Amino acid sequence: MNEKEIVLSGIRATGNLHLGNYYGALRNFVKMQDDYDCNYFIADLHALTTNPDPVELHENVKNILAEYLAAGVDPEKATIFVQSDVPEISEMYLLLNMHVGIGELLRTTSFKDKARKQLGISTDSDEDIEKQIVGNESNKRVNAGLLTYPTLMAVDILIQKARKVPVGKDQEQHLELTRRFARRFNSFYNVDLFPEPENFNFGQNAVKVPGLDGSGKMGKSEGNCIYLVDEEKVLRKKVMRAVTDEGPKTPGQPVSEPVNNLLTLMELTTAPEIVQSYRDAYADCSIRYGDMKKQLAEDILKVTTPIRERYQAIRADEAYIAKVVSLGAERARERASRTLQEVKKAMGIIKFY
Ligand code: ADP
Ligand code: TRP
């Protein structure tokens, strides 16, 4: 029997992967695969919450798979699968929903953010958001799948009985909910089915990679991303155009948000003493943003170039990709179907013929 601790994580099939995905998740996928029982998937069902174009969705699944492989996830070491290839997940999602409160789903930050965006609401007040969701009579709607997104994510994790979930900081609330649902199920049925999973980043705090536009996180829907597969020229251009400020005026003044964001990106890619030299240069007002950005672009390219080069070859080999996920689905279904049986039994859904 495999004694290694179970790891599970996934990324939605919504577009190419960017540096936020890489530093928040994918890099750890690779670093963990020797020491843990790793399971990584493409969340295509989660992607459906935003009603994507079917052809694009299917392409994205393959693109992200190729990106996992190009970044170094090894199908010999880790189980790589597509969420919808494991139908047990959808079945358990229905069952777990019976123990999830609509109130707690309505209060989830990611839901409120996405609902606000979809309805074009500018208010921050929870009450107003809820009123507009319920009262909205235009043809814009917030679908029930988006509301129950955290249930599906909890099932992804619990059905594999995973303990460690390498994800970025933005997913911590979802993990908190997963732990709550696990405890609730165990105690309601007086069973010990689910361990409580936690975020994992090798003892470091969870990562939040900032965008290039001055504020907030790097995200697919924010249009502020550096993609792992960006061509060299495109990537350099993006970095050179990143928002900064007018330059420090007084020695020792606090670093502005846009510049701090670039320094945070640098901390992920660049040698610490070089980052410090730019911090010092900001403090004594001698900083030159052009130089800093050139350095940053250079260091990002060191990370992304090998991935981009491998990506092209892997993406072109559809037979190989298909083989990887068909094997992965088989392995993922093994544990998933065992857990599903345990869940059904606990709930009294028992076949008797
Ligand atoms: P996006 O937010 O771009 O739509 P996903 O929601 O699919 O991407 O995120 C997939 C993984 O990447 C998750 O583990 C998430 O925490 C991580 N991630 C996404 N953006 C960032 C970011 N800016 N910083 C850190 N981690 C991130
Ligand atoms: N919600 C995650 C995201 O947006 C993707 C995801 C779905 C996930 N199921 C998961 C991550 C299970 C970790 C474990 O990034």
Side-chain angles (χ1 to χ4, degrees), residues 31-94:
K31 289 202 319 196
M32 294 178 89
Q33 63 188 354
D34 285 311
D35 301 320
Y36 296 90
D37 172 348
C38 290
N39 302 268
Y40 304 127
F41 69 101
I42 318 288
D44 57 345
L45 299 175
H46 274 109
L48 288 175
T49 54
T50 46
N51 303 143
D53 174 78
V55 177
E56 258 173 49
L57 173 63
H58 185 65
E59 282 302 296
N60 280 332
V61 169
K62 291 180 186 163
N63 291 348
I64 296 180
L65 252 171
E67 285 171 330
Y68 278 10
L69 297 165
V73 179
D74 180 351
E76 306 264 323
K77 297 177 180 166
T79 298
I80 305 172
F81 64 100
V82 180
Q83 187 180 30
S84 60
D85 278 341
V86 182
E88 290 80 4
I89 294 173
S90 300
E91 191 172 348
M92 182 169 151
Y93 160 73
L94 181 147

Side-chain angles (χ1 to χ4, degrees), residues 8-12 21 29 41 43 46 83 114 149 152-154 156-157 165-167 170-171 174-175 220:
L8 177 113
S9 192
I11 298 184
R12 285 181 304 145
N21 302 135
F29 293 7
F41 69 101
H46 274 109
Q83 187 180 30
K114 285 182 183 144
Y149 185 110
L152 184 57
M153 174 157 167
D156 292 329
I157 299 168
V165 184
V167 281
D170 60 314
Q171 296 299 313
H174 290 151
L175 276 182
K220 285 168 211 154

Side-chain angles (χ1 to χ4, degrees), residues 188-329:
F188 189 90
Y189 295 106
N190 196 20
V191 288
D192 191 18
L193 268 185
F194 301 123
E196 288 186 33
E198 53 179 24
N199 194 355
F200 184 81
N201 185 24
F202 290 93
Q204 310 271 45
N205 288 335
V207 177
K208 177 183 159 192
V209 177
L212 297 173
D213 51 353
S215 66
K217 69 157 193 164
M218 187 175 288
K220 285 168 211 154
S221 46
E222 323 298 330
N224 61 2
C225 293
I226 294 178
Y227 292 100
L228 297 179
V229 296
D230 273 344
E231 292 295 336
E232 193 171 325
K233 248 183 155 170
V234 174
L235 192 149
R236 280 187 208 279
K237 214 183 236 173
K238 283 185 181 174
V239 176
M240 295 316 284
R241 283 193 187 151
V243 177
T244 52
D245 58 17
E246 292 173 337
K249 300 275 183 292
T250 346
Q253 78 180 65
V255 181
S256 67
E257 192 183 353
V259 175
N260 199 37
N261 284 351
L262 291 186
L263 287 164
T264 304
L265 267 175
M266 260 195 149
E267 270 158 5
L268 295 164
T269 53
T270 306
E273 56 286 4
I274 299 182
V275 185
Q276 191 55 47
S277 73
Y278 283 105
R279 286 198 184 277
D280 295 344
Y282 193 93
D284 67 19
C285 304
S286 67
I287 192 159
R288 290 161 58 147
Y289 293 139
D291 292 349
M292 177 170 127
K293 288 173 171 177
K294 264 191 208 135
Q295 172 84 45
L296 179 60
E298 228 34 71
D299 291 327
I300 293 173
L301 280 166
K302 279 190 201 133
V303 177
T304 60
T305 305
I307 298 177
R308 190 188 68 236
E309 285 171 358
R310 282 193 293 267
Y311 172 80
Q312 308 298 356
I314 296 169
R315 181 64 186 83
D317 191 351
E318 293 220 356
Y320 173 63
I321 300 182
K323 201 172 109 201
V324 167
V325 283
S326 77
L327 185 71

